[in-house]
Amino acid sequence: MSSSSPASSRYALSFTTGGLLEREAAVLAPVYAEHRDWAKVRDIAVEENLLQTRTHSTGVRRVREAVNRLSALSDREVAILADVTTSERGHLMWAAACRRYDLIGEFAEEVLRERFLTLAGTVSYEDYDSFYRAKAMWHDELSEVTDLSYKKLRQVVFKMMVEAGLLTTKGAIEPAFLSARVVECLTHRIPSDIRFFPTRVV
């Protein structure tokens, strides 16, 4: 069912911890390769402070969010995370965020990619605001978000796009040059997750 339908499930909005979490993914992926159990990865990462956070509570939050997103990837995708380039890892983690959070995925497809394909050239906070208002017509949970939380959610989405190399800090869209192995991963899903990227690859 379309997420713009009134009967849609609620959007998950718990993505304000960190940004793209690309560095965290590089640390946690090898642990998963060894144990094949995300709960165990989470416990080990927190206990041993693998992400080297200053406080325990920050470590718990960051590990939990990184694991939530990594678990949206296939085992093969997780397996190559430790070996790919920084750019490839960023692309995979952007795909993970889009899969885990429908709001981000729909924004990526309906605004970021669409504006790229129509040669708009930029994505702004105003574009996000218009997108969000349209979704809020069908999703009460979006209307219930406080102004402070709304600004934080928007800030993090744009931070992720910048960290994934899809947007400049000035809001200019950067075409995604996806490697062959990343394209193979993204096209393995139906519909293809290339729809989350500003690229003419189909």
Side-chain angles (χ1 to χ4, degrees):
M1 180 171 288
S2 168
S3 58
S4 60
S5 161
S8 316
S9 58
R10 291 170 65 88
Y11 283 119
L13 301 171
S14 56
F15 52 82
T16 55
T17 298
L20 195 64
L21 301 179
E22 174 266 326
R23 183 189 69 82
E24 289 79 355
V27 173
L28 299 180
V31 184
Y32 179 77
E34 181 179 351
H35 298 283
R36 298 284 173 174
D37 182 333
W38 284 118
K40 189 152 191 171
V41 171
R42 185 180 61 238
D43 292 344
I44 292 171
V46 169
E47 184 179 337
E48 299 181 13
N49 192 22
L50 295 183
L51 301 185
Q52 300 180 334
T53 56
R54 290 186 177 182
T55 67
H56 178 75
S57 59
T58 299
V60 169
R61 283 197 307 273
R62 197 165 285 260
V63 167
R64 182 175 60 226
E65 182 57 27
V67 165
N68 277 344
R69 294 192 206 169
L70 285 166
S71 62
L73 298 176
S74 68
D75 280 4
R76 182 178 180 280
E77 289 168 333
V78 175
I80 68 174
L81 272 177
D83 300 321
V84 295
T85 66
T86 301
S87 175
E88 289 173 311
R89 192 179 303 118
H91 290 155
L92 285 172
M93 288 307 291
W94 174 248
C98 290
R99 292 175 193 172
R100 175 59 63 188
Y101 297 104
D102 288 341
L103 187 71
I104 298 177
E106 289 166 21
F107 179 76
E109 181 177 5
E110 298 170 20
V111 181
L112 175 63
R113 181 175 171 87
E114 186 63 24
R115 287 183 67 77
F116 170 76
L117 292 176
T118 57
L119 306 179
T122 62
V123 174
S124 68
Y125 273 14
E126 289 74 20
D127 296 319
Y128 180 89
D129 294 342
S130 297
F131 162 83
Y132 191 97
R133 283 194 299 270
K135 296 298 180 182
M137 293 176 64
W138 300 108
H139 289 266
D140 291 342
E141 69 273 17
L142 298 185
S143 302
E144 295 163 3
V145 171
T146 66
D147 187 54
L148 186 64
S149 293
Y150 173 81
K151 289 177 179 177
K152 178 66 173 176
L153 291 169
R154 183 178 62 184
Q155 176 191 15
V156 170
V157 171
F158 276 75
K159 181 180 181 182
M160 287 184 198
M161 289 190 289
V162 171
E163 291 180 351
L166 309 178
L167 203 67
T168 69
T169 55
K170 301 285 189 183
I173 298 172
E174 297 267 43
F177 297 106
L178 303 171
S179 70
R181 55 185 168 181
V182 169
V183 167
E184 183 184 354
C185 289
L186 299 178
T187 55
H188 199 64
R189 294 171 67 92
I190 300 175
S192 166
D193 281 356
I194 286 177
R195 70 188 189 278
F196 298 138
F197 293 83
T199 177
R200 296 193 181 281
V201 175
V202 293

